[in-house]
Amino acid sequence: MSEDLCGVNVVHSDRVIRASTALVSNEIARRLAETFKVLGDPTRIKIISALYEGELCVCDISAVVSLSQSAVSHQLGALRRERLVRRRRDGQKIFYSLDDEHIKRLLSECLDHVAEEESLVESGTAAG
Amino acid sequence: MSEDLCGVNVVHSDRVIRASTALVSNEIARRLAETFKVLGDPTRIKIISALYEGELCVCDISAVVSLSQSAVSHQLGALRRERLVRRRRDGQKIFYSLDDEHIKRLLSECLDHVAEEESLVESGTAAG
DNA sequence: CTAGTATATGAATATATGTTCATATATTCA
DNA sequence: TGAATATATGAACATATATTCATATACTAG
């Protein structure tokens, strides 16, 4: 069956069948994308990296990343919605921390990827 | 020194010092965010997952993810700019594949994270 | 209760993003 | 060479996003 699914000639080889099996569902794709999207902002990356060594209150985070309390609070809300950070109250302050180990691994995996790019750019053929 | 850096009272405890050390540079934050951002879209996630089992030409990808050739090409361009996929020409066709193992690990790490959310939502206290 | 501190949030605005459409480029075949 | 196929890309448009500002909420101290 070489039907048109999308306005382009469809090849429908074994490859396509296999790929369709590996393809994640719309729902999973949406969830993965939401998680990655929340990581896709320099400010939030800085917040997360600031939390690497332990919890911080919002006011401290503001200072560390040099951003207004409001901006930080909005971003923390976004991170929390994706369960990347959790919070606990201590009196007037609210302390934020990384929610689980996946976040650290995501960051370090991504760092490795970026570092590889780096070495490609600089030396041409490192990191085989 | 309890100075104002951001309009909020700065605490400047040990925590802040430590956090500032862990804090990634603007440059690194920007690069990490760019990589995550390109992963932060359902269409691109689907493309990547489709490439899990091996290379595909653009036309096949279009079919698998049910999107126009143009849209797919734009997205492949974005993925390529962040070195998440590479391409090779074979006659008229151009075959795309995942660039390195980091991408797979990023996806699977994120899947684990999402799955954890899932179990929280559904059973309440699983996956300790 | 009131004043003060810490955090959250809605509205507004400027900017970024994803898809479509039209078209350009590159390759193959006759 | 010219027609056909595969892919890439610029412009445009609708939508999403990050920050700011003003203000609301939650807690503490008195």
Side-chain angles (χ1 to χ4, degrees):
Chain A
M1 47 171 105
S2 17
E3 219 178 342
D4 249 29
L5 288 177
C6 57
V8 175
N9 280 335
V10 171
V11 173
H12 264 301
S13 61
D14 296 356
R15 285 195 235 250
V16 173
I17 308 293
R18 246 186 306 145
S20 298
T21 315
L23 190 73
V24 297
S25 68
N26 285 330
E27 178 63 13
I28 296 292
R30 194 182 58 73
R31 284 177 174 255
L32 289 175
E34 271 178 5
T35 299
F36 282 125
K37 188 178 294 180
V38 87
L39 291 169
D41 175 81
T43 296
R44 290 191 291 261
I45 290 290
K46 292 184 90 172
I47 290 175
I48 290 174
S49 75
L51 296 175
Y52 241 73
E53 298 298 322
E55 63 177 12
L56 291 174
C57 68
V58 178
C59 155
D60 284 348
I61 297 173
S62 289
V64 173
V65 305
S66 304
L67 218 69
S68 74
Q69 177 271 319
S70 180
V72 168
S73 196
H74 276 294
Q75 301 298 21
L76 286 170
L79 289 168
R80 210 160 68 84
R81 256 170 262 128
E82 294 305 317
R83 296 185 196 275
L84 295 178
V85 300
R86 64 163 62 120
R87 62 178 175 181
R88 75 175 179 85
R89 182 179 278 281
D90 179 16
Q92 289 167 286
K93 294 186 182 171
I94 294 190
F95 286 88
Y96 279 82
S97 54
L98 300 182
D99 188 279
D100 62 32
E101 286 303 308
H102 299 304
I103 290 91
K104 288 191 177 188
R105 286 200 283 266
L106 279 168
L107 262 283
S108 88
E109 200 64 51
C110 195
L111 265 171
D112 287 351
H113 175 73
V114 167
E116 233 171 64
E117 289 181 8
E118 207 67 24
S119 61
L120 280 171
V121 171
E122 295 191 0
S123 66
T125 54
Chain B
M1 43 173 102
S2 20
E3 219 176 340
D4 249 29
L5 288 177
C6 56
V8 176
N9 280 335
V10 172
V11 172
H12 264 299
S13 60
D14 295 356
R15 285 195 235 250
V16 173
I17 308 292
R18 246 185 306 146
S20 299
T21 314
L23 190 72
V24 296
S25 69
N26 284 331
E27 180 61 13
I28 296 291
R30 192 182 58 74
R31 284 176 175 256
L32 290 174
E34 272 178 6
T35 299
F36 282 125
K37 188 179 294 181
V38 87
L39 292 168
D41 175 80
T43 295
R44 291 191 290 261
I45 290 290
K46 293 184 91 171
I47 291 175
I48 290 174
S49 76
L51 295 176
Y52 241 73
E53 297 298 323
E55 63 178 11
L56 290 175
C57 68
V58 178
C59 155
D60 284 349
I61 298 173
S62 288
V64 173
V65 306
S66 305
L67 219 69
S68 75
Q69 176 271 319
S70 180
V72 167
S73 195
H74 276 296
Q75 300 298 20
L76 286 169
L79 289 168
R80 211 159 68 83
R81 255 170 264 128
E82 294 306 315
R83 298 185 194 273
L84 295 179
V85 301
R86 64 163 63 121
R87 63 178 173 180
R88 74 174 180 87
R89 181 179 279 280
D90 179 16
Q92 289 168 289
K93 293 187 181 172
I94 294 190
F95 285 88
Y96 279 81
S97 56
L98 299 182
D99 188 276
D100 62 31
E101 287 302 310
H102 299 304
I103 290 91
K104 288 192 178 188
R105 285 201 283 268
L106 279 167
L107 263 282
S108 89
E109 200 64 51
C110 195
L111 265 171
D112 287 352
H113 175 73
V114 166
E116 233 171 63
E117 288 179 8
E118 206 67 22
S119 61
L120 280 170
V121 171
E122 296 192 359
S123 67
T125 54

